[in-house]
Structure formats: structure tokens, C-alpha cells
Coordinates of all heavy atoms in Angstrom, one line a residue:
S1 N 8.5 147.2 -14.3 CA 7.3 147.5 -13.5 C 7.5 148.6 -12.5 O 6.7 149.0 -11.8 CB 6.6 146.3 -12.8 OG 7.6 145.7 -12.0
N2 N 8.8 149.1 -12.4 CA 9.1 150.2 -11.5 C 8.7 151.5 -12.2 O 8.9 151.7 -13.4 CB 10.6 150.2 -11.1 CG 11.0 149.0 -10.4 OD1 10.2 148.5 -9.5 ND2 12.2 148.5 -10.6
I3 N 8.3 152.5 -11.4 CA 7.9 153.8 -11.9 C 9.2 154.6 -12.2 O 10.0 154.8 -11.3 CB 7.0 154.6 -11.0 CG1 5.7 153.7 -10.6 CG2 6.6 155.9 -11.5 CD1 4.8 153.5 -11.7
T4 N 9.4 155.1 -13.4 CA 10.5 155.8 -13.7 C 10.3 157.3 -13.4 O 9.1 157.7 -13.1 CB 10.8 155.8 -15.3 OG1 9.7 156.4 -16.0 CG2 11.1 154.4 -15.7
Q5 N 11.4 158.1 -13.3 CA 11.2 159.6 -13.1 C 10.2 160.2 -14.0 O 9.4 161.0 -13.7 CB 12.5 160.2 -13.1 CG 12.5 161.7 -12.6 CD 13.9 162.3 -12.5 OE1 14.9 161.6 -12.6 NE2 14.0 163.6 -12.2
E6 N 10.4 159.9 -15.4 CA 9.5 160.4 -16.4 C 8.1 159.9 -16.2 O 7.1 160.7 -16.3 CB 10.0 160.0 -17.8 CG 9.2 160.5 -18.9 CD 9.6 160.0 -20.3 OE1 10.8 159.6 -20.4 OE2 8.8 160.1 -21.2
G7 N 7.9 158.7 -15.8 CA 6.6 158.1 -15.5 C 5.9 158.8 -14.3 O 4.8 159.1 -14.3
A8 N 6.7 159.1 -13.3 CA 6.2 159.7 -12.1 C 5.7 161.2 -12.4 O 4.7 161.6 -11.9 CB 7.3 159.8 -11.0
F9 N 6.5 161.8 -13.3 CA 6.1 163.2 -13.7 C 4.8 163.2 -14.4 O 3.9 164.0 -14.1 CB 7.2 163.7 -14.7 CG 6.9 165.1 -15.3 CD1 7.1 166.2 -14.4 CD2 6.4 165.3 -16.5 CE1 6.8 167.4 -14.9 CE2 6.1 166.5 -17.0 CZ 6.3 167.6 -16.2
E10 N 4.5 162.2 -15.2 CA 3.2 162.0 -15.9 C 2.1 161.7 -14.9 O 1.0 162.2 -15.0 CB 3.3 161.1 -17.1 CG 4.3 161.5 -18.2 CD 3.9 162.8 -18.9 OE1 2.7 163.1 -19.0 OE2 4.8 163.6 -19.2
L11 N 2.4 160.7 -14.0 CA 1.4 160.3 -13.1 C 1.1 161.4 -12.1 O -0.1 161.5 -11.7 CB 1.9 159.0 -12.3 CG 2.0 157.8 -13.1 CD1 2.7 156.7 -12.3 CD2 0.6 157.3 -13.6
D12 N 2.0 162.3 -11.8 CA 1.6 163.4 -11.0 C 0.6 164.3 -11.6 O -0.2 165.0 -10.9 CB 2.9 164.2 -10.6 CG 3.8 163.5 -9.6 OD1 3.3 162.5 -9.0 OD2 5.0 163.8 -9.6
K13 N 0.6 164.4 -12.9 CA -0.5 165.1 -13.7 C -1.9 164.5 -13.3 O -2.9 165.2 -13.1 CB -0.2 165.2 -15.1 CG 1.0 166.0 -15.5 CD 1.2 165.9 -17.0 CE 2.5 166.5 -17.4 NZ 2.8 166.3 -18.9
L14 N -1.9 163.2 -13.4 CA -3.1 162.4 -13.1 C -3.5 162.6 -11.7 O -4.8 162.8 -11.4 CB -3.0 160.9 -13.5 CG -4.2 160.1 -13.2 CD1 -5.4 160.5 -14.0 CD2 -3.8 158.6 -13.5
V15 N -2.5 162.7 -10.7 CA -2.9 162.9 -9.3 C -3.6 164.2 -9.2 O -4.7 164.3 -8.5 CB -1.6 162.9 -8.5 CG1 -1.8 163.5 -7.1 CG2 -0.9 161.5 -8.5
Q16 N -3.2 165.3 -9.8 CA -3.8 166.6 -9.8 C -5.3 166.5 -10.3 O -6.2 167.1 -9.8 CB -3.0 167.7 -10.5 CG -1.8 168.1 -9.7 CD -2.1 168.4 -8.2 OE1 -3.0 169.2 -8.0 NE2 -1.5 167.8 -7.3
V17 N -5.5 165.8 -11.5 CA -6.8 165.7 -12.0 C -7.7 165.0 -11.1 O -8.8 165.5 -10.9 CB -6.7 165.0 -13.4 CG1 -8.1 164.6 -13.9 CG2 -6.0 165.8 -14.4
L18 N -7.2 163.9 -10.4 CA -8.1 163.2 -9.6 C -8.4 163.9 -8.3 O -9.5 163.8 -7.8 CB -7.4 161.8 -9.3 CG -7.4 160.8 -10.5 CD1 -6.6 159.6 -10.1 CD2 -8.8 160.4 -10.9
K19 N -7.4 164.6 -7.8 CA -7.6 165.5 -6.6 C -8.6 166.6 -6.9 O -9.4 167.0 -6.0 CB -6.3 166.1 -6.1 CG -5.5 165.0 -5.4 CD -4.2 165.6 -4.7 CE -3.5 164.5 -3.9 NZ -2.4 165.1 -3.2
N20 N -8.6 167.2 -8.1 CA -9.5 168.3 -8.5 C -10.9 167.7 -8.8 O -11.8 168.5 -8.9 CB -8.9 169.0 -9.7 CG -7.8 169.8 -9.3 OD1 -7.5 170.1 -8.1 ND2 -6.9 170.1 -10.3
N21 N -11.0 166.4 -9.1 CA -12.3 165.7 -9.4 C -12.5 164.5 -8.6 O -12.3 163.3 -9.0 CB -12.2 165.3 -10.9 CG -12.1 166.5 -11.8 OD1 -13.1 167.2 -12.1 ND2 -10.8 166.8 -12.2
P22 N -12.9 164.7 -7.3 CA -12.9 163.5 -6.3 C -13.9 162.5 -6.7 O -13.9 161.4 -6.1 CB -13.2 164.2 -5.0 CG -13.8 165.6 -5.4 CD -13.2 166.0 -6.7
N23 N -14.8 162.8 -7.6 CA -15.8 161.8 -8.0 C -15.4 160.9 -9.1 O -16.0 160.0 -9.6 CB -17.2 162.4 -8.3 CG -17.8 163.0 -7.0 OD1 -17.7 162.4 -5.9 ND2 -18.5 164.1 -7.2
M24 N -14.3 161.4 -9.8 CA -13.8 160.7 -11.0 C -13.1 159.4 -10.6 O -12.4 159.2 -9.6 CB -12.7 161.5 -11.7 CG -12.2 160.9 -13.0 SD -11.0 162.0 -13.8 CE -12.1 163.2 -14.5
V25 N -13.5 158.4 -11.4 CA -12.9 157.0 -11.2 C -12.1 156.6 -12.5 O -12.6 156.8 -13.6 CB -14.0 156.0 -10.9 CG1 -13.4 154.5 -10.7 CG2 -14.7 156.4 -9.6
V26 N -10.9 156.1 -12.3 CA -10.0 155.9 -13.5 C -9.6 154.4 -13.4 O -9.2 153.9 -12.3 CB -8.9 156.8 -13.5 CG1 -7.8 156.4 -14.5 CG2 -9.3 158.2 -13.7
L27 N -9.5 153.8 -14.6 CA -8.8 152.5 -14.7 C -7.6 152.6 -15.5 O -7.5 153.2 -16.5 CB -9.8 151.6 -15.5 CG -9.2 150.2 -16.0 CD1 -8.9 149.3 -14.8 CD2 -10.1 149.5 -17.0
A28 N -6.5 152.1 -14.9 CA -5.1 152.1 -15.4 C -4.9 150.8 -16.2 O -5.0 149.8 -15.5 CB -4.1 152.3 -14.4
K29 N -4.7 150.8 -17.5 CA -4.5 149.6 -18.2 C -3.1 149.6 -18.7 O -2.6 150.6 -19.4 CB -5.4 149.6 -19.5 CG -6.9 149.5 -19.2 CD -7.7 149.6 -20.4 CE -7.5 148.5 -21.5 NZ -8.4 148.7 -22.6
A30 N -2.3 148.6 -18.3 CA -0.9 148.5 -18.5 C -0.7 147.5 -19.7 O -1.3 146.4 -19.6 CB -0.1 148.1 -17.4
H31 N 0.1 147.8 -20.7 CA 0.4 147.0 -21.8 C 1.8 146.7 -22.0 O 2.7 147.4 -21.6 CB -0.1 147.7 -23.1 CG -1.6 148.1 -23.1 ND1 -2.6 147.3 -23.5 CD2 -2.2 149.3 -22.5 CE1 -3.8 147.9 -23.4 NE2 -3.5 149.1 -22.8
T32 N 2.1 145.6 -22.8 CA 3.5 145.2 -23.1 C 3.7 145.1 -24.6 O 2.7 145.1 -25.3 CB 3.9 143.9 -22.4 OG1 3.1 142.9 -23.1 CG2 3.7 143.8 -20.9
D33 N 4.9 145.0 -25.0 CA 5.2 144.6 -26.4 C 4.9 143.1 -26.5 O 4.5 142.4 -25.6 CB 6.5 145.1 -26.9 CG 7.7 144.5 -26.0 OD1 7.5 143.3 -25.5 OD2 8.7 145.2 -25.9
N34 N 5.2 142.6 -27.7 CA 5.0 141.1 -27.9 C 6.2 140.2 -27.7 O 6.2 139.0 -28.0 CB 4.3 140.8 -29.2 CG 5.2 141.2 -30.5 OD1 6.4 141.6 -30.3 ND2 4.7 141.1 -31.6
R35 N 7.3 140.8 -27.1 CA 8.4 139.9 -26.9 C 8.2 139.2 -25.5 O 7.6 139.8 -24.6 CB 9.7 140.8 -26.8 CG 10.0 141.4 -28.2 CD 11.3 142.1 -28.2 NE 11.1 143.5 -27.7 CZ 11.9 144.5 -27.9 NH1 13.1 144.4 -28.6 NH2 11.7 145.7 -27.4
G36 N 8.6 138.0 -25.4 CA 8.4 137.2 -24.2 C 7.1 136.4 -24.4 O 6.3 136.7 -25.3
S37 N 6.9 135.5 -23.5 CA 5.7 134.6 -23.5 C 4.5 135.4 -23.2 O 4.5 136.5 -22.5 CB 5.9 133.4 -22.6 OG 5.8 133.8 -21.3
D38 N 3.3 134.9 -23.6 CA 2.0 135.5 -23.2 C 1.9 135.7 -21.7 O 1.5 136.7 -21.2 CB 0.9 134.7 -23.8 CG 0.8 134.8 -25.3 OD1 1.5 135.6 -26.0 OD2 0.0 134.1 -25.9
Q39 N 2.3 134.6 -21.0 CA 2.1 134.6 -19.5 C 3.1 135.6 -18.9 O 2.7 136.3 -18.0 CB 2.3 133.2 -19.0 CG 2.0 133.1 -17.5 CD 0.6 133.4 -17.2 OE1 -0.3 132.8 -17.8 NE2 0.3 134.4 -16.3
Y40 N 4.3 135.6 -19.4 CA 5.3 136.6 -18.8 C 4.8 138.0 -19.0 O 4.9 138.8 -18.1 CB 6.7 136.4 -19.6 CG 7.7 137.5 -19.1 CD1 8.3 137.4 -18.0 CD2 7.8 138.6 -19.9 CE1 9.3 138.4 -17.6 CE2 8.7 139.7 -19.5 CZ 9.4 139.5 -18.3 OH 10.3 140.5 -17.9
N41 N 4.3 138.3 -20.2 CA 3.8 139.6 -20.5 C 2.6 140.0 -19.6 O 2.4 141.1 -19.2 CB 3.5 139.8 -22.0 CG 4.8 140.0 -22.8 OD1 5.8 140.5 -22.2 ND2 4.8 139.6 -24.0
M42 N 1.7 139.0 -19.5 CA 0.5 139.3 -18.6 C 1.0 139.6 -17.2 O 0.4 140.5 -16.6 CB -0.4 138.1 -18.7 CG -1.8 138.4 -18.1 SD -2.7 139.8 -19.0 CE -3.2 139.0 -20.5
N43 N 1.9 138.8 -16.7 CA 2.4 139.0 -15.3 C 3.1 140.4 -15.2 O 2.9 141.1 -14.3 CB 3.3 137.9 -14.9 CG 2.6 136.6 -14.7 OD1 1.5 136.6 -14.4 ND2 3.4 135.5 -14.7
L44 N 3.9 140.7 -16.2 CA 4.6 142.0 -16.3 C 3.6 143.2 -16.2 O 3.8 144.2 -15.5 CB 5.5 142.1 -17.5 CG 6.2 143.4 -17.7 CD1 7.1 143.8 -16.5 CD2 7.1 143.3 -19.0
S45 N 2.6 143.1 -17.1 CA 1.7 144.2 -17.2 C 0.8 144.3 -15.9 O 0.5 145.4 -15.5 CB 0.8 144.0 -18.4 OG 0.0 142.9 -18.4
D46 N 0.6 143.2 -15.3 CA -0.2 143.2 -14.0 C 0.7 143.9 -13.0 O 0.1 144.7 -12.2 CB -0.5 141.8 -13.6 CG -1.4 141.7 -12.4 OD1 -2.5 142.4 -12.5 OD2 -1.1 141.1 -11.4
R47 N 2.0 143.6 -12.9 CA 2.9 144.3 -12.0 C 2.9 145.8 -12.3 O 2.9 146.6 -11.4 CB 4.3 143.7 -12.0 CG 4.4 142.3 -11.4 CD 5.8 141.9 -11.2 NE 6.7 142.0 -12.3 CZ 6.9 141.1 -13.3 NH1 6.2 140.0 -13.2 NH2 7.7 141.4 -14.3
R48 N 3.0 146.1 -13.5 CA 3.0 147.6 -13.9 C 1.7 148.3 -13.5 O 1.7 149.4 -13.0 CB 3.2 147.8 -15.5 CG 4.6 147.5 -15.9 CD 4.7 147.6 -17.4 NE 6.0 147.4 -17.9 CZ 6.3 147.1 -19.1 NH1 5.4 147.0 -20.0 NH2 7.6 146.9 -19.4
A49 N 0.6 147.6 -13.7 CA -0.7 148.2 -13.3 C -0.7 148.4 -11.7 O -1.2 149.5 -11.3 CB -1.9 147.4 -13.8
K50 N -0.2 147.4 -11.0 CA -0.3 147.5 -9.6 C 0.7 148.6 -9.1 O 0.4 149.3 -8.1 CB 0.1 146.1 -9.0 CG -1.0 145.1 -9.0 CD -0.6 143.8 -8.5 CE -1.8 142.8 -8.6 NZ -1.4 141.5 -8.3
S51 N 1.8 148.7 -9.8 CA 2.8 149.7 -9.4 C 2.2 151.2 -9.6 O 2.3 152.1 -8.8 CB 4.1 149.7 -10.2 OG 4.8 148.5 -9.9
T52 N 1.4 151.3 -10.7 CA 0.8 152.5 -11.0 C -0.2 152.9 -9.9 O -0.3 154.0 -9.4 CB 0.1 152.5 -12.4 OG1 1.2 152.2 -13.3 CG2 -0.6 153.8 -12.7
V53 N -1.1 151.9 -9.6 CA -2.1 152.1 -8.5 C -1.4 152.5 -7.2 O -1.8 153.4 -6.6 CB -3.0 150.9 -8.4 CG1 -3.9 151.0 -7.2 CG2 -3.9 150.7 -9.7
Q54 N -0.4 151.7 -6.9 CA 0.2 152.0 -5.6 C 0.9 153.4 -5.5 O 0.8 154.1 -4.5 CB 1.3 150.9 -5.3 CG 0.8 149.6 -4.9 CD -0.1 149.7 -3.6 OE1 0.2 150.4 -2.7 NE2 -1.2 149.1 -3.7
Y55 N 1.4 153.9 -6.7 CA 2.0 155.2 -6.8 C 0.9 156.2 -6.5 O 1.1 157.2 -5.7 CB 2.7 155.4 -8.1 CG 3.3 156.8 -8.2 CD1 4.6 157.0 -7.8 CD2 2.6 157.9 -8.8 CE1 5.2 158.3 -7.9 CE2 3.1 159.1 -8.8 CZ 4.4 159.3 -8.3 OH 5.0 160.6 -8.5
L56 N -0.2 156.1 -7.2 CA -1.3 157.0 -7.0 C -1.9 157.0 -5.5 O -2.1 158.1 -5.0 CB -2.4 156.8 -8.0 CG -2.0 157.0 -9.5 CD1 -3.1 156.5 -10.4 CD2 -1.7 158.5 -9.7
L57 N -1.9 155.9 -5.0 CA -2.4 155.7 -3.6 C -1.4 156.5 -2.6 O -1.8 157.1 -1.7 CB -2.6 154.3 -3.1 CG -3.7 153.5 -3.9 CD1 -3.7 152.1 -3.5 CD2 -5.1 154.1 -3.6
S58 N -0.1 156.3 -2.9 CA 0.9 157.0 -2.1 C 0.9 158.5 -2.2 O 1.4 159.2 -1.3 CB 2.3 156.5 -2.5 OG 2.7 157.1 -3.7
K59 N 0.2 159.0 -3.2 CA 0.1 160.4 -3.4 C -1.2 160.9 -2.9 O -1.6 162.1 -3.1 CB 0.2 160.8 -4.9 CG 1.6 160.5 -5.5 CD 2.7 161.4 -4.9 CE 4.0 161.1 -5.4 NZ 5.0 162.1 -5.0
G60 N -2.0 160.1 -2.2 CA -3.2 160.5 -1.5 C -4.5 160.3 -2.3 O -5.5 160.7 -1.9
I61 N -4.4 159.5 -3.4 CA -5.6 159.3 -4.2 C -6.3 158.1 -3.5 O -5.7 157.1 -3.0 CB -5.2 158.9 -5.6 CG1 -4.5 160.1 -6.3 CG2 -6.4 158.4 -6.4 CD1 -5.3 161.3 -6.4
S62 N -7.6 158.2 -3.4 CA -8.5 157.2 -2.8 C -8.5 155.9 -3.6 O -8.5 156.0 -4.8 CB -10.0 157.8 -2.6 OG -10.8 156.7 -2.3
K63 N -8.5 154.8 -2.9 CA -8.6 153.5 -3.6 C -9.9 153.4 -4.3 O -10.0 152.5 -5.2 CB -8.4 152.4 -2.6 CG -9.5 152.2 -1.6 CD -9.1 151.1 -0.6 CE -10.2 151.0 0.4 NZ -10.0 150.2 1.5
N64 N -10.9 154.2 -4.0 CA -12.1 154.2 -4.7 C -12.1 154.9 -6.1 O -13.0 154.8 -6.9 CB -13.2 154.8 -3.9 CG -13.5 154.1 -2.6 OD1 -13.4 152.9 -2.6 ND2 -13.8 154.8 -1.6
Q65 N -11.0 155.6 -6.3 CA -10.8 156.4 -7.6 C -10.0 155.7 -8.6 O -10.0 156.1 -9.7 CB -10.2 157.7 -7.2 CG -11.1 158.8 -6.7 CD -10.5 160.1 -6.7 OE1 -9.7 160.4 -5.7 NE2 -10.7 161.0 -7.6
I66 N -9.2 154.7 -8.2 CA -8.3 154.1 -9.1 C -8.2 152.6 -9.0 O -8.3 152.0 -8.0 CB -6.8 154.7 -8.9 CG1 -5.8 154.2 -10.0 CG2 -6.3 154.4 -7.5 CD1 -6.0 154.7 -11.4
S67 N -8.2 152.0 -10.2 CA -8.0 150.5 -10.3 C -7.1 150.3 -11.4 O -6.8 151.1 -12.3 CB -9.3 149.7 -10.4 OG -9.9 150.1 -11.6
G68 N -6.5 149.0 -11.4 CA -5.5 148.8 -12.5 C -5.8 147.4 -13.1 O -6.3 146.5 -12.4
K69 N -5.4 147.2 -14.3 CA -5.5 145.9 -15.0 C -4.4 145.7 -16.0 O -4.1 146.6 -16.8 CB -6.9 145.9 -15.8 CG -7.1 144.5 -16.5 CD -8.5 144.4 -16.9 CE -8.8 143.2 -17.7 NZ -8.6 141.9 -17.0
G70 N -3.7 144.6 -15.9 CA -2.7 144.2 -16.8 C -3.3 143.6 -18.1 O -4.1 142.7 -18.0
M71 N -2.9 144.1 -19.3 CA -3.5 143.7 -20.5 C -2.5 142.8 -21.3 O -2.8 142.2 -22.3 CB -3.8 144.8 -21.3 CG -4.9 145.8 -20.7 SD -6.4 145.0 -20.1 CE -7.1 144.5 -21.7
G72 N -1.2 142.7 -20.8 CA -0.2 141.9 -21.6 C -0.1 142.6 -23.0 O 0.0 143.7 -23.2
E73 N 0.0 141.7 -23.9 CA 0.2 142.1 -25.3 C -1.1 141.9 -26.1 O -1.1 141.8 -27.4 CB 1.3 141.2 -26.0 CG 1.0 139.7 -25.9 CD 2.2 138.9 -26.5 OE1 3.2 138.7 -25.7 OE2 2.2 138.5 -27.6
T74 N -2.2 141.8 -25.4 CA -3.6 141.5 -26.0 C -4.1 142.8 -26.8 O -5.0 142.5 -27.7 CB -4.6 141.1 -24.9 OG1 -4.8 142.2 -24.0 CG2 -4.2 139.9 -24.2
E75 N -3.7 143.9 -26.6 CA -4.3 145.1 -27.2 C -3.1 146.0 -27.8 O -2.9 147.1 -27.2 CB -5.2 146.0 -26.3 CG -6.4 145.2 -25.9 CD -7.3 146.0 -24.9 OE1 -6.9 147.2 -24.5 OE2 -8.4 145.6 -24.5
P76 N -2.4 145.6 -28.7 CA -1.3 146.4 -29.2 C -1.7 147.7 -29.8 O -2.8 147.7 -30.5 CB -0.6 145.5 -30.2 CG -1.6 144.6 -30.7 CD -2.6 144.3 -29.6
K77 N -1.0 148.7 -29.6 CA -1.2 150.0 -30.2 C -0.8 149.9 -31.7 O -1.5 150.5 -32.6 CB -0.5 151.1 -29.5 CG -0.8 152.5 -30.1 CD -0.2 153.6 -29.2 CE -0.7 154.9 -29.6 NZ -0.3 155.9 -28.6
V78 N 0.3 149.2 -32.0 CA 0.7 148.9 -33.4 C 0.8 147.5 -33.5 O 1.5 146.7 -32.9 CB 2.2 149.5 -33.6 CG1 2.6 149.3 -35.0 CG2 2.2 151.0 -33.2
D79 N -0.1 146.9 -34.4 CA -0.2 145.4 -34.6 C 0.7 145.0 -35.6 O 0.4 144.7 -36.8 CB -1.6 145.1 -35.0 CG -1.8 143.6 -34.8 OD1 -0.9 142.8 -34.3 OD2 -2.9 143.1 -35.2
C80 N 2.0 144.9 -35.3 CA 3.1 144.7 -36.3 C 3.6 143.2 -36.2 O 4.6 142.8 -36.8 CB 4.3 145.6 -35.9 SG 4.8 145.6 -34.2
K81 N 2.8 142.4 -35.4 CA 3.1 140.9 -35.3 C 4.6 140.7 -34.9 O 5.0 141.2 -33.9 CB 2.8 140.2 -36.7 CG 1.4 140.4 -37.2 CD 0.4 139.7 -36.4 CE -1.0 139.8 -37.0 NZ -2.0 140.5 -36.2
E82 N 5.3 140.0 -35.7 CA 6.7 139.6 -35.4 C 7.7 140.5 -36.1 O 8.9 140.3 -36.0 CB 7.0 138.2 -35.8 CG 6.1 137.2 -35.0 CD 6.2 137.3 -33.5 OE1 7.4 137.4 -33.0 OE2 5.1 137.2 -32.9
A83 N 7.3 141.5 -36.9 CA 8.2 142.4 -37.6 C 8.2 143.8 -37.0 O 8.3 144.8 -37.8 CB 7.8 142.4 -39.0
C84 N 8.2 143.9 -35.7 CA 8.2 145.2 -35.1 C 9.5 145.9 -35.1 O 10.5 145.2 -34.8 CB 7.6 145.1 -33.6 SG 6.0 144.3 -33.5
T85 N 9.5 147.2 -35.3 CA 10.7 148.0 -35.1 C 10.8 148.3 -33.6 O 9.8 148.1 -32.8 CB 10.6 149.3 -35.8 OG1 9.6 150.1 -35.3 CG2 10.4 149.1 -37.3
E86 N 11.9 148.8 -33.1 CA 12.1 149.2 -31.7 C 11.0 150.3 -31.4 O 10.5 150.3 -30.3 CB 13.5 149.7 -31.4 CG 14.5 148.6 -31.2 CD 14.0 147.7 -30.0 OE1 13.6 148.2 -29.0 OE2 14.1 146.4 -30.3
E87 N 10.8 151.2 -32.3 CA 9.8 152.3 -32.0 C 8.4 151.7 -31.8 O 7.6 152.1 -31.0 CB 9.8 153.3 -33.1 CG 11.1 154.1 -33.3 CD 12.2 153.4 -33.9 OE1 12.0 152.4 -34.6 OE2 13.4 153.8 -33.6
Q88 N 8.0 150.7 -32.7 CA 6.7 150.0 -32.5 C 6.7 149.2 -31.2 O 5.6 149.3 -30.5 CB 6.5 149.1 -33.7 CG 6.2 149.9 -35.0 CD 6.3 149.0 -36.2 OE1 7.1 148.0 -36.4 NE2 5.4 149.4 -37.2
H89 N 7.7 148.5 -30.8 CA 7.8 147.9 -29.5 C 7.5 148.9 -28.4 O 6.7 148.6 -27.5 CB 9.0 147.2 -29.3 CG 9.2 145.8 -30.0 ND1 8.2 144.8 -29.8 CD2 10.1 145.3 -30.8 CE1 8.6 143.7 -30.5 NE2 9.7 144.0 -31.1
A90 N 8.2 150.0 -28.5 CA 8.1 151.1 -27.5 C 6.6 151.6 -27.4 O 6.2 151.9 -26.3 CB 9.1 152.2 -27.7
A91 N 6.0 151.8 -28.5 CA 4.7 152.3 -28.6 C 3.6 151.3 -27.9 O 2.7 151.7 -27.3 CB 4.2 152.5 -30.0
N92 N 4.0 150.1 -28.0 CA 3.1 149.0 -27.4 C 3.3 148.9 -25.9 O 2.4 148.4 -25.2 CB 3.3 147.7 -28.2 CG 2.7 147.6 -29.5 OD1 1.7 148.4 -29.7 ND2 3.2 146.8 -30.4
R93 N 4.5 149.3 -25.4 CA 4.7 149.3 -24.0 C 4.2 150.6 -23.4 O 4.9 151.6 -23.5 CB 6.2 149.2 -23.7 CG 6.8 147.9 -24.1 CD 8.3 147.7 -23.6 NE 9.1 148.8 -24.0 CZ 9.9 148.7 -25.2 NH1 9.8 147.7 -25.9 NH2 10.6 149.8 -25.5
R94 N 3.0 150.6 -22.8 CA 2.4 151.8 -22.4 C 1.4 151.5 -21.3 O 0.9 150.4 -21.1 CB 1.7 152.4 -23.6 CG 0.4 151.7 -24.1 CD 0.0 152.1 -25.4 NE -1.3 151.4 -25.8 CZ -1.4 150.2 -26.1 NH1 -0.4 149.3 -26.1 NH2 -2.7 149.7 -26.4
S95 N 0.9 152.6 -20.7 CA -0.2 152.6 -19.8 C -1.2 153.6 -20.3 O -0.9 154.7 -20.8 CB 0.2 153.0 -18.4 OG 1.1 152.0 -17.8
E96 N -2.4 153.2 -20.2 CA -3.6 154.0 -20.7 C -4.5 154.2 -19.5 O -4.6 153.3 -18.7 CB -4.4 153.4 -21.8 CG -3.5 153.2 -23.0 CD -4.3 152.4 -24.1 OE1 -5.1 151.5 -23.7 OE2 -4.1 152.7 -25.3
F97 N -5.1 155.3 -19.4 CA -6.0 155.7 -18.3 C -7.4 156.0 -18.8 O -7.6 156.9 -19.6 CB -5.5 156.9 -17.5 CG -4.1 156.6 -16.9 CD1 -3.0 156.9 -17.7 CD2 -4.0 155.9 -15.8 CE1 -1.7 156.6 -17.1 CE2 -2.8 155.5 -15.3 CZ -1.6 155.9 -15.9
L98 N -8.3 155.2 -18.5 CA -9.7 155.3 -18.9 C -10.6 155.8 -17.8 O -10.5 155.3 -16.7 CB -10.3 153.9 -19.4 CG -9.5 153.2 -20.5 CD1 -10.2 151.9 -20.8 CD2 -9.6 154.1 -21.7
I99 N -11.4 156.9 -18.1 CA -12.3 157.4 -17.1 C -13.5 156.5 -17.1 O -14.2 156.3 -18.0 CB -12.7 158.8 -17.5 CG1 -11.4 159.8 -17.5 CG2 -13.8 159.3 -16.5 CD1 -11.7 161.2 -18.0
V100 N -13.7 155.9 -15.9 CA -14.8 155.0 -15.7 C -16.0 155.7 -15.3 O -17.1 155.4 -15.6 CB -14.4 153.9 -14.7 CG1 -15.6 152.9 -14.5 CG2 -13.2 153.1 -15.2
K101 N -15.8 156.7 -14.4 CA -16.9 157.5 -13.9 C -16.4 159.0 -13.8 O -15.3 159.2 -13.4 CB -17.3 157.0 -12.6 CG -18.5 157.8 -11.9 CD -18.8 157.2 -10.5 CE -19.7 158.2 -9.8 NZ -19.5 158.0 -8.4
K102 N -17.2 160.0 -14.2 CA -16.8 161.3 -14.1 C -17.4 162.0 -13.0 O -18.4 161.8 -12.5 CB -17.2 162.0 -15.5 CG -16.4 163.2 -15.7 CD -16.4 163.6 -17.1 CE -15.5 164.8 -17.3 NZ -15.4 165.3 -18.6

């Protein structure tokens, strides 16, 4: 749930978009792969979403522009059940940003 250097680089792009569009509101949805229990993954994704929101707030984004939600393993990008490759697990571990208001 810690922001990596690569993640920060990507989030900084979102910071610029939000600063250039002060009326835009975004929802950060954090996802996990299907390893671990459902509850563990829900908690992990919730921590990831909160870390993302905190990072954006620390960069001067208004709390009115960003919210976060942990999705756990409920919306896999690749629905490979129990036969996932490492690449598929990695694809399922992601954050998505939905524009709620433009």
C-alpha cells in the first residue's frame, strides 16, 4: 500500500490534470489479485486507495476533488480464477481513476 517511485511518477500526471481542471472530481479504485483471503485483499486495497488519496492531497489537490475505494479482488481485469500467471496477477493489482464529475 506504499506509493512506489513509479507510482508517484504516474500520480504526478493526475495531479497536473486535477490542478488544470479544478472542477474535476476523481474516484481512485484500488484492486488486488486473488491471492490471500477476501478480507485481507479488501483491507489491502482500502489501504492502497487511502495512500493514493493522501498522496494527491499532499500535492495540493483538494479533498473535494479526490476520493478512494478499495475493491479487493471483486473486479479482476483478468478473470483467471485459480490458474493465474504472474502477469495476470500483476494486471489485477492496479489502481483505476474514474472521472466522477468533469
Side-chain angles (χ1 to χ4, degrees):
S1 58
N2 295 324
I3 305 292
T4 64
Q5 187 173 353
E6 181 183 341
F9 178 76
E10 296 300 323
L11 288 174
D12 287 343
K13 294 176 188 177
L14 179 58
V15 167
Q16 285 309 309
V17 169
L18 291 171
K19 284 185 175 183
N20 292 337
N21 299 278
N23 293 324
M24 184 180 284
V25 178
V26 171
L27 169 64
K29 291 173 66 176
H31 303 268
T32 66
D33 59 30
N34 63 6
R35 294 185 278 200
S37 71
D38 291 351
Q39 189 60 52
Y40 174 83
N41 285 332
M42 194 59 75
N43 291 339
L44 175 60
S45 65
D46 188 55
R47 290 192 309 273
R48 286 180 178 162
K50 287 177 179 171
S51 291
T52 299
V53 169
Q54 285 304 315
Y55 181 86
L56 294 170
L57 294 176
S58 78
K59 296 294 183 174
I61 299 304
S62 165
K63 65 181 177 190
N64 296 327
Q65 279 188 279
I66 184 72
S67 61
K69 181 169 176 58
M71 304 303 295
E73 57 187 82
T74 62
E75 295 178 359
K77 186 171 188 170
V78 180
D79 194 8
C80 50
K81 307 284 187 249
E82 300 304 316
C84 300
T85 65
E86 278 306 312
E87 292 78 21
Q88 290 169 322
H89 280 304
N92 286 333
R93 293 187 303 268
R94 70 197 188 284
S95 291
E96 297 173 325
F97 300 92
L98 301 177
I99 298 172
V100 177
K101 179 182 168 205
K102 201 164 183 175

